[in-house]
Amino acid sequence: MTTNDLTGVWRLASFHDVDDDGVRREGPLGPAPVGLLFYSADGHVSVHMMRTAPDQEPADGPAERPSQSYMSYSGTWRRTGDQVVHTITLAPTPGWIGTDQVRELLLEGDLLTLYGNALVGRPQRRVLEWRRVTGAD
C-alpha cells in the first residue's frame, strides 16, 4: 500500500466502539452516523461526522459517555507502516490541537478501516469504516 492509496474522499460506512472485553457497542454518534474523510495528496486531512438519528442517550446510558451530534477536526496526515497519523491543527476541543492521533489502518479495495482510541468519553477502541467516494457518489 502506498500513501497515494489513501488520498481522496471517503464516506463513513460504520462507526462503533469495542470495549476492553471485545464487546461491540454503538459509537458516540448513534446507530447510523454519516461522515466524510478527506486526505489530500499534499498531506492535509479533514474529518466530519454527525448523528442522523434524533438526539438520544447512548444505549449504554449517559453515565458511560456524552451524547454527541457532530465531531470534526482537521490538520495534516502521514503514513507510518500500517498506521496513519493525524496531527490536529483545528478542532472544536482546544485540548485536541497539536496532538497526534494514531490510527491503525486496513485497506481492502475501496474499504478503509481505521482503528484508534476515543478522544471523548471513557477510554475504548474506536472502529471507523470508510468507503472511497468515486465519481458521482
Side-chain angles (χ1 to χ4, degrees), residues 26-106:
E26 184 176 287
L29 297 175
V34 295
L36 290 173
L37 167 63
F38 302 87
Y39 283 122
S40 73
D42 65 352
H44 289 88
V45 63
S46 184
V47 182
H48 302 271
M49 300 177 292
M50 65 181 263
R51 176 183 293 271
T52 58
D55 199 25
Q56 61 193 27
E57 294 299 331
D60 50 1
E64 296 299 320
R65 62 175 183 258
S67 180
Q68 295 178 283
S69 60
Y70 188 81
M71 297 173 74
S72 68
Y73 65 81
S74 62
T76 59
W77 71 279
R78 67 185 183 280
R79 280 284 314 282
T80 305
D82 288 336
Q83 297 179 331
V84 61
V85 179
H86 298 170
T87 300
I88 299 176
T89 58
L90 181 66
T93 304
W96 296 2
I97 297 172
T99 64
D100 282 346
Q101 300 304 312
V102 179
R103 308 285 186 251
E104 295 170 40
L105 67 91
L106 177 62

Side-chain angles (χ1 to χ4, degrees), residues 9-24:
V9 180
W10 301 83
R11 186 176 313 283
L12 188 63
S14 168
F15 182 3
H16 65 272
D17 292 340
V18 178
D19 69 17
D20 291 337
D21 296 323
V23 176
R24 180 181 171 141

